[in-house]
Amino acid sequence: VMPCIHRQSEPMSSDRSLQPEAQQPIANQPSLENDSHCDRQPFSLPELLAPAGNWDCAKAAIENGANAIYFGLDRFNARMRAENFTEADLPELMAFLHQRGAKGYVTLNTLVFTEELAEAESYLRSMISAGVDAVIVQDIGICRLIRHLSPDFPIHASTQMTVTSAAGVAFAKSLGCQLVVLARECSIKEITKIQYQLAGTRISMPLEVFVHGALCVAYSGQCLTSESLGGRSANRGECAQACRMPYELIADGKPVELGDRRYLLSPQDLSGLSVLPELVQSGVTCLKIEGRLKSPEYVASVTRVYRDALDALETEKVSWTVSASDRYTLEMAFSRGLYSGWFEGIDNQTLVHAQYGKKRGVYVGTVKDICHSRPSRRHKKGGAPSPLVLIDLQAPLKPGDGVVFDHGRPDQNEEGGRVYAVSPAGKLTAVSFGNHAINWKRISVGDRLWKTSDPELDRQIRKTMNPATPHYREAMTVDVYGAVGQPLTVVARDRHGHTVQAQSEMVLTEAHSRPLNSEVLRSQFGRLGSTPFELGRLNAHLDGAVMIPMSELNRIRRDIVAMLLDERAKPHRWNLNATASFQKLMPASRPNPALSNTNPTELIVLVRNSEQLRAAIATGISTLYGELEDPRGYRELVQQFRQQATSGQTIWVAPPRITKPLETWILKQVRQCDADGYLIRNYDHLDFFSGDRCIGDFSFNVANPITAAHFMQFPNLERLTASYDLTIQQLETLLTHAPAQWFDITIHQHMPMFHMEHCVFCAFLSDGTDFTNCGRPCETHEVHLRDRVGTEHVLHADAGCRNTVFNGTAQTGAEYVHRLTTLGVRHLRLEFLNESAAQVQTTIRAYQQMLNGELTGRDLWRSLKLNSQLGVTRGPLDSRA
């Protein structure tokens, strides 16, 4: 396995240009290590954004202090299993949110296929007309469509867009986005660096980060696992959560003994509460809670904890600690373990504890003994006593709480139930259960006990979820004007700028006793009861001693509240172009495939080592792509190619898939090899290699003609790789609405499933936390992950210590090649992973025979299946319902 550059402690070259930029001074920028960016940032409280899978969740979020909610409709959102809202709900929902001083963002954060563009446009028109505050988007083409429909409707770039750097933020801004949700893998230091880099380029863009909830182990927008294994794409809101499954670790052909650590890819849940001050000081604009599939109780409890914490941070500015009560509340809401994720940097040992992949709750203690209690009053005379367990109590436990016994096999059915009684037993605690509630044959000393339910806490939380009694109110400013002989005039304002005015129906008279004053007015206008307001500043502008009946003041108060609510409920009036249409963004001309038949179909081969390169060159392949784990090897690879290749053959190389702040030194190393061109994967590559020949890879998620047309506007991009999410029918539709010559179609590969910051090598083959102390096991071991059906998936590490899990079974679209070439496709890609030189040659020859008409696609598939050690499946191009 090739070494990881980040792990190198010694200088990599005498050439200073090849040193990591992090070791070089940054022009016109202060040091990020010794000079705190946080110290100079003005204090500004970020927006708190909560999830809402349904109406109850929306109300729970608002009643517990969310500034905004995000929610999906019944199409095009990344949580299709949520209850979700409908287009018909939008006017009422937005009115409710705006009356409560909150915002509502719709998630249209999936890839959109060609045949769905008309429906997506209809959805967008409904959102714009309903006054939705913003739409959260993954698909580049949808961003373009929104700007075509409306010049001012806000777009938020989804975390599915995989933005990890200032270049990604700049790209989102060029699409018309007004906010960017950064990848969860960005640390606070990296967020700060991004802010510095943006300031240096004079780009202003609000940034949002996830602060709490489930962590995907793979980069969002770059996970193809569900697609590869079951045809359920995470880019389409259908994630099957393969990361939460157990795996065996196979190193050098032998299973690694890991004890009860079998959930190798299941991170703990994110909790940024412990680093909240640093997050706020980093300058992020919005903190986002994950959980559109969660319950209203989850939404209420988590939102309240973060609301209270933010308010305390704003008002108290005290030293920061997370209280035991807050942690308990968060763990009871939902927890696979709580951890700060990547906010504080990389700690592969802690991120994934690997002991379970499902909700646990609060750890109560370990079973120290199992014994029998005296017969309870419920037992008949002579009846069997009720067993109980003795535990070392670590958390509060009371009768009625729900618990589960953990014996280290969370994939099996586990015993659990309601606690009947809790009593001291010396230094231990005795816990008993109802008759027949527990199968005691399955309980053992050493089992861990987890609290999964606290009915009392649930009751307290549900009390906060009633909109009839708002718990979070917004300050209303009131100005009162009047003089004898004139009506009393009252002007009320909220913090959003809504202003209303009401007058008394009678004039003010001279007061001989108890005249109106600020104290009386504050008492009357402060009676806001069940409204979402509280009285903030009251300014009395009264000329002389005046009076008016208290009943009239009460009427005015009710009127201004009603008028203010009406004003707030009015939808935003975004500009909407009635004549705009997605059709106008489609590629202007589509060449007739029949006119391109004179151009032969070309096989392109991607190789991952010098032996594969040598074998591919020998087959006469004219275009080769090289992808190495260590970019330092590209110079030698290209030199080998120049020595062995014949005239007309070219080699392109691929930089690592993710680029973080200050990692452009890796890109400089890639360019040093003097390749013919570059297979680019992200927005940094698009910018850095703008003067070079480039081909866009699958990671750009090109799934419709509008996205394709946008990328093809970049003059150095010669072709794109069609999204791996497309079925054959969807791919054919794309190729009939955009020039087929624009595309590479990958027809043979080991699908890159998980692409992740988490390093399995470090976590399970070392005691280290990151590249500085892991001992570099990736350089000395060949590692596979064996899943529940016995397939061994290949694990690779790249130059940034990022891991990719490749499907252990190769996939082919050979049976569809004739249909694709008929549509005008002229570039078909074969990708190899760990195949031998002989396997590479055999596979390439088979595809060449197929293109020459000597072998059918079905025959090729069958022959490769017989000759492949891993087996071959038809892959994602296969038709699915």
Side-chain angles (χ1 to χ4, degrees):
V1 179
M2 300 295 287
C4 172
I5 291 178
H6 274 191
R7 301 184 180 94
Q8 303 301 314
S9 57
E10 67 276 3
M12 292 173 289
S13 168
S14 58
D15 182 352
R16 183 172 177 80
S17 67
L18 298 184
Q19 301 300 315
E21 287 188 15
Q23 299 175 10
Q24 300 183 33
I26 306 168
N28 303 319
Q29 293 186 8
S31 167
L32 295 174
E33 298 298 326
N34 302 317
D35 191 10
S36 173
H37 171 66
C38 303
D39 294 340
R40 293 184 301 278
Q41 281 284 76
F43 184 88
S44 179
L45 209 61
E47 179 178 85
L48 183 60
L49 177 59
N54 54 42
W55 268 103
D56 288 339
C57 291
K59 294 172 183 176
I62 299 308
E63 298 309 323
N64 283 278
N67 301 114
I69 66 168
Y70 64 104
F71 57 93
L73 302 180
D74 48 8
R75 291 293 306 277
F76 309 120
N77 85 84
R79 290 293 183 270
M80 291 306 297
R81 290 185 290 126
E83 186 176 334
N84 291 315
F85 293 86
T86 68
E87 289 177 90
D89 291 321
L90 286 176
E92 182 182 359
L93 178 59
M94 296 311 303
F96 164 73
L97 294 173
H98 290 163
Q99 283 185 335
R100 297 304 307 273
K103 296 179 180 180
Y105 308 140
V106 175
T107 56
L108 203 157
N109 56 342
T110 65
L111 300 183
V112 177
F113 302 141
T114 310
E115 63 274 16
E116 298 170 330
L117 288 170
E119 185 178 7
E121 179 183 320
S122 175
Y123 265 57
L124 289 168
R125 288 186 179 278
S126 296
M127 295 175 203
I128 296 169
S129 299
V132 167
D133 294 291
V135 59
I136 304 171
V137 180
Q138 173 187 15
D139 195 292
I140 305 302
I142 294 299
C143 290
R144 291 200 61 208
L145 176 57
I146 293 168
R147 271 301 148 263
H148 181 60
L149 295 173
S150 171
D152 58 354
F153 182 49
I155 307 171
H156 293 180
S158 170
T159 191
Q160 293 282 122
M161 216 180 270
T162 324
V163 175
T164 60
S165 67
V169 175
F171 180 83
K173 187 174 182 68
S174 74
L175 292 170
C177 296
Q178 279 89 2
L179 178 145
V180 171
V181 187
L182 293 176
R184 291 173 174 90
E185 290 79 2
C186 291
S187 68
I188 293 174
K189 281 188 176 181
E190 288 165 341
I191 295 168
T192 302
K193 290 175 183 178
I194 291 172
Q195 299 275 31
Y196 266 115
Q197 291 171 336
L198 291 174
T201 56
R202 300 186 182 275
I203 292 176
S204 176
M205 177 68 77
L207 301 180
E208 177 181 305
V209 298
F210 278 90
V211 72
H212 192 93
L215 273 181
C216 299
V217 75
Y219 275 90
S220 294
Q222 302 297 315
C223 183
L224 295 164
T225 311
S226 297
E227 167 71 17
S228 178
L229 297 179
R232 294 174 52 185
S233 170
N235 283 323
R236 296 282 292 172
E238 298 173 336
C239 173
Q241 294 196 309
C243 55
R244 304 300 180 186
M245 297 293 106
Y247 293 88
E248 291 181 77
L249 187 66
I250 310 299
D252 306 319
K254 297 179 181 179
V256 177
E257 178 54 50
L258 297 172
D260 63 351
R261 301 177 73 202
R262 301 171 60 238
Y263 293 80
L264 310 183
L265 304 178
S266 181
Q268 298 192 70
D269 288 342
L270 171 65
S271 176
L273 194 62
S274 62
V275 295
L276 197 61
E278 291 84 355
L279 273 174
V280 172
Q281 292 285 12
S282 75
V284 294
T285 301
C286 183
L287 301 177
K288 188 174 193 173
I289 299 167
E290 182 276 340
R292 282 193 287 135
L293 291 172
K294 302 291 200 316
S295 68
E297 289 79 9
Y298 167 89
V299 174
S301 56
V302 175
T303 302
R304 177 167 283 268
V305 166
Y306 281 89
R307 176 76 275 152
D308 290 349
L310 285 170
D311 290 347
L313 192 63
E314 181 181 39
T315 57
E316 298 174 15
K317 299 182 177 64
V318 295
S319 58
W320 191 253
T321 58
V322 178
S323 70
S325 173
D326 284 345
R327 185 170 183 88
Y328 176 83
T329 299
L330 294 176
E331 288 182 329
M332 287 308 304
F334 192 97
S335 171
R336 301 178 182 93
L338 296 180
Y339 179 55
S340 59
W342 288 283
F343 280 141
E344 297 178 274
I346 295 173
D347 183 345
N348 288 300
Q349 296 295 336
T350 308
L351 180 75
V352 175
H353 56 59
Q355 294 175 335
Y356 47 83
K358 61 183 180 181
K359 176 184 177 181
R360 277 307 188 205
V362 173
Y363 174 63
V364 175
T366 301
V367 175
K368 298 298 184 180
D369 197 5
I370 304 170
C371 57
H372 293 280
S373 68
R374 297 175 181 177
S376 68
R377 294 181 179 180
R378 295 186 179 183
H379 292 123
K380 295 180 180 179
K381 188 175 182 180
S386 173
L388 55 79
V389 293
L390 299 179
I391 65 171
D392 56 337
L393 193 65
Q394 302 293 313
L397 188 67
K398 59 188 178 301
D401 287 346
V403 297
V404 64
F405 290 91
D406 174 4
H407 57 275
R409 290 305 304 267
D411 53 321
Q412 300 177 351
N413 290 331
E414 296 177 314
E415 291 297 318
R418 296 286 175 187
V419 172
Y420 179 73
V422 180
S423 58
K427 294 183 178 181
L428 300 176
T429 301
V431 182
S432 61
F433 299 84
N435 295 333
H436 311 298
I438 304 294
N439 180 357
W440 293 98
K441 294 180 180 179
R442 302 186 65 217
I443 307 302
S444 304
V445 171
D447 287 354
R448 289 173 294 178
L449 194 64
W450 300 88
K451 185 196 290 193
T452 58
S453 171
D454 184 339
E456 181 180 333
L457 178 62
D458 290 342
R459 284 192 294 271
Q460 293 172 0
I461 291 170
R462 280 192 285 269
K463 289 180 181 178
T464 71
M465 294 162 50
N466 184 4
T469 56
H471 289 266
Y472 279 91
R473 303 171 188 270
E474 186 177 319
M476 175 176 68
T477 299
V478 175
D479 287 89
V480 183
Y481 303 86
V484 173
Q486 297 178 358
L488 186 74
T489 300
V490 179
V491 178
R493 301 176 179 84
D494 67 8
R495 64 185 179 88
H496 304 286
H498 298 105
T499 304
V500 297
Q501 177 177 308
Q503 286 189 331
S504 62
E505 295 177 350
M506 58 187 71
V507 298
L508 293 165
T509 58
E510 185 176 358
H512 299 289
S513 62
R514 302 182 64 183
L516 285 181
N517 55 32
S518 295
E519 182 180 348
V520 173
L521 291 171
R522 175 166 287 279
S523 173
Q524 292 301 312
F525 285 102
R527 297 177 180 179
L528 294 169
S530 61
T531 75
F533 302 111
E534 63 183 9
L535 183 60
R537 189 173 66 253
L538 184 141
N539 304 306
H541 310 276
L542 300 174
D543 188 2
V546 297
M547 63 177 294
I548 198 169
M550 292 298 104
S551 59
E552 187 66 1
L553 287 180
N554 291 336
R555 183 194 63 78
I556 294 174
R557 184 190 68 240
R558 291 191 295 269
D559 284 352
I560 62 172
V561 167
M563 288 189 290
L564 203 51
L565 288 174
D566 286 343
E567 281 298 309
R568 288 156 67 103
K570 292 178 181 177
H572 289 304
R573 296 301 179 188
W574 307 115
N575 290 301
L576 181 58
N577 186 345
T579 62
S581 168
F582 77 93
Q583 296 282 3
K584 296 181 180 180
L585 296 176
M586 301 288 269
S589 62
R590 298 185 296 276
N592 185 343
L595 300 178
S596 303
N597 285 339
T598 55
N599 297 325
T601 301
E602 178 186 10
L603 283 180
I604 299 168
V605 171
L606 184 145
V607 298
R608 289 187 165 91
N609 56 55
S610 59
E611 290 77 16
Q612 291 179 347
L613 177 68
R614 187 178 300 110
I617 292 173
T619 64
I621 293 294
S622 59
T623 302
L624 292 107
Y625 299 159
E627 179 175 8
L628 302 181
E629 296 177 29
D630 181 358
R632 292 177 301 171
Y634 278 141
R635 180 175 293 180
E636 182 179 345
L637 190 77
V638 171
Q639 290 175 350
Q640 175 190 342
F641 173 82
R642 302 291 185 217
Q643 294 168 359
Q644 298 174 5
T646 59
S647 176
Q649 288 184 308
T650 60
I651 186 167
W652 306 55
V653 298
R657 197 156 147 196
I658 297 293
T659 304
K660 287 284 197 75
L662 303 183
E663 284 185 0
T664 53
W665 60 273
I666 298 179
L667 306 186
K668 291 178 181 178
Q669 274 210 324
V670 172
R671 185 181 270 154
Q672 291 288 330
C673 74
D674 195 28
D676 295 301
Y678 304 92
L679 183 64
I680 62 173
R681 273 82 180 272
N682 62 43
Y683 314 118
D684 286 84
H685 301 171
L686 195 61
D687 177 60
F688 185 87
F689 296 103
S690 60
D692 304 292
R693 296 180 66 189
C694 291
I695 293 170
D697 206 1
F698 69 93
S699 48
F700 283 122
N701 289 322
V702 177
N704 61 65
I706 301 177
T707 299
H710 180 76
F711 279 113
M712 291 305 291
Q713 292 175 359
F714 290 84
N716 64 316
L717 265 181
E718 299 184 11
R719 291 192 306 277
L720 301 166
T721 307
S723 167
Y724 291 167
D725 283 289
L726 300 171
T727 65
I728 183 61
Q729 290 88 352
Q730 292 158 349
L731 180 56
E732 288 175 333
T733 304
L734 172 63
L735 297 174
T736 56
H737 288 82
Q741 293 78 14
W742 281 2
F743 298 100
D744 273 14
I745 308 298
T746 304
I747 59 169
H748 182 101
Q749 66 166 324
H750 292 266
M751 181 75 82
M753 301 192 301
F754 297 106
H755 187 66
M756 51 196 180
E757 196 79 15
H758 171 52
C759 182
V760 176
F761 294 97
C762 175
F764 301 103
L765 293 177
S766 84
D767 295 323
T769 58
D770 61 15
F771 70 92
T772 63
N773 55 21
C774 68
R776 308 174 188 175
C778 62
E779 299 178 11
T780 55
H781 297 286
E782 182 176 326
V783 173
H784 296 74
L785 300 184
R786 182 185 290 161
D787 65 20
R788 292 179 299 167
V789 299
T791 303
E792 294 188 8
H793 305 294
V794 181
L795 184 72
H796 280 189
D798 71 9
C801 292
R802 297 172 189 114
N803 286 193
T804 303
V805 179
F806 292 89
N807 195 321
T809 303
Q811 300 178 337
T812 180
E815 291 176 271
Y816 308 112
V817 166
H818 178 71
R819 291 162 63 176
L820 296 173
T821 56
T822 299
L823 289 170
V825 171
R826 292 296 175 263
H827 303 94
L828 300 173
R829 189 192 305 177
L830 314 180
E831 292 196 356
F832 295 102
L833 182 61
N834 55 356
E835 290 88 349
S836 67
Q839 288 173 317
V840 168
Q841 284 200 343
T842 298
T843 303
I844 294 174
R845 298 292 188 197
Y847 279 97
Q848 289 173 328
Q849 287 179 299
M850 182 189 67
L851 290 180
N852 292 334
E854 302 168 18
L855 194 66
T856 67
R858 182 172 293 272
D859 289 339
L860 181 146
W861 178 76
R862 286 174 174 168
S863 66
L864 290 181
K865 185 176 183 181
L866 291 172
N867 294 332
S868 172
Q869 189 176 9
L870 296 174
V872 177
T873 66
R874 288 178 173 83
L877 290 182
D878 202 4
S879 176
R880 296 188 298 271

